[in-house]
Amino acid sequence: RGVILFAHGSGSGRFSPRNRSVAQALNAVGFATVLADLLTPSEETADRRTGQLRFDIPFLAGRLRSVVTGVTGAGPLYAPETAPPAPVAIAFGASVRGGRPGSFVEGRLEASLQLLRLGKVEKILVSGNAGGTSGDEIAVMTGWLRARGVPDSALLTDGAGLDTYLACLRARDEFGVGRVLLVSQFFHARRAAALARHLGLDADAVRAPCGCTRRAWVRNLAREYLLSRPKAALDIARGR
């Protein structure tokens, strides 16, 4: 039915029994809820002494905008052929099956390959879990790209990009990425771009196709809106 955001500045918080009780009552009638603290624990501690941040409206408004962006996934979403250029595209990993990419991963690889062939990017950063329960995502994804003619010189690999936030953070810190295209299905790509911008990256979202079943779409959309986007909003608000 909708998402209701509880944004807490100072003096209350997402662990408040009253706030959680209200949120649970809303959940029971079909509303999703996000309880977000706009101050980090250290900021909250300092504010108890100074009282400065609780009245800093521009500061709190900026935090609130970041939370809303994380929840809604706002921002442009490009097709590969209309995407602006960038040195690197990140292809996000997901489950692999029997040494082959799953339908979501294959769509991300197809879009990344298209970006490379169109000259939109110079390199593809394959980011995922090299030790995942379904298999080595990195080995499967790079194998798929190499089989389609992508040279090793155009590939970067990160087997420790265990979630979207870490993938973007490590792209910045381990690979020196500043400008980037983030390749995933529509519901994930915009969230990824919001997280990347929060980390200081100049990021744009690129939509990947998916030859998925209706059941897979429903399952992943539910996970995105009920779990992943609220988590992203908290990551942004709290600076993880």
Side-chain angles (χ1 to χ4, degrees):
R1 296 176 61 179
V3 179
I4 297 175
L5 171 63
F6 295 74
H8 308 290
S10 180
S12 183
R14 70 187 192 278
F15 295 117
S16 160
R18 179 175 61 85
N19 294 335
R20 294 175 75 86
S21 177
V22 172
Q24 288 168 0
L26 290 166
N27 297 157
V29 294
F31 288 97
T33 53
V34 177
L35 284 73
D37 295 337
L38 300 182
L39 301 181
T40 66
S42 60
E43 290 169 343
E44 176 77 21
T45 299
D47 194 63
R48 290 195 189 102
R49 297 193 307 269
T50 66
Q52 292 179 345
L53 291 177
R54 70 188 67 184
F55 299 116
D56 190 337
I57 302 304
F59 172 80
L60 294 173
R63 287 280 174 88
L64 183 59
R65 281 194 299 271
S66 295
V67 173
V68 172
T69 298
V71 172
T72 62
L77 181 64
Y78 295 97
E81 59 270 19
T82 61
V88 177
I90 297 179
F92 294 97
S95 63
V96 295
R97 303 171 184 171
R100 295 175 57 85
S103 53
F104 284 97
V105 175
E106 188 162 32
R108 297 168 191 178
L109 294 172
E110 288 172 354
S112 299
L113 179 60
Q114 189 176 359
L115 288 169
L116 188 68
R117 288 176 171 172
L118 289 170
K120 300 284 187 173
V121 298
E122 300 167 10
K123 294 180 183 292
I124 299 171
L125 170 54
V126 176
S127 185
N129 189 349
T133 56
S134 66
D136 186 338
E137 296 172 8
I138 304 303
V140 171
M141 294 170 73
T142 54
W144 190 98
L145 290 167
R146 289 187 181 108
R148 287 154 181 80
V150 177
D152 286 348
S153 60
L155 290 174
L156 300 170
T157 61
D158 180 13
L162 304 184
D163 62 20
T164 304
Y165 186 95
L166 279 176
C168 295
L169 178 68
R170 289 177 56 81
R172 184 194 73 184
D173 293 349
E174 303 297 327
F175 296 89
V177 172
R179 166 76 182 140
V180 66
L181 298 181
L182 304 173
V183 184
S184 191
Q185 282 68 35
F186 73 94
F187 53 83
H188 177 216
R190 280 185 169 137
R191 169 168 58 88
L195 286 168
R197 292 174 192 134
H198 165 68
L199 290 167
L201 296 173
D202 179 6
D204 283 306
V206 177
R207 180 172 184 159
C210 182
C212 309
T213 64
R214 182 184 296 272
R215 181 179 179 182
W217 274 116
V218 170
R219 183 176 65 249
N220 280 274
L221 283 170
R223 178 179 179 274
E224 177 69 19
Y225 287 101
L226 296 179
L227 298 175
S228 299
R229 289 201 179 182
K231 178 179 180 295
L234 290 175
D235 284 342
I236 290 172
R238 303 296 297 279
R240 196 166 175 180

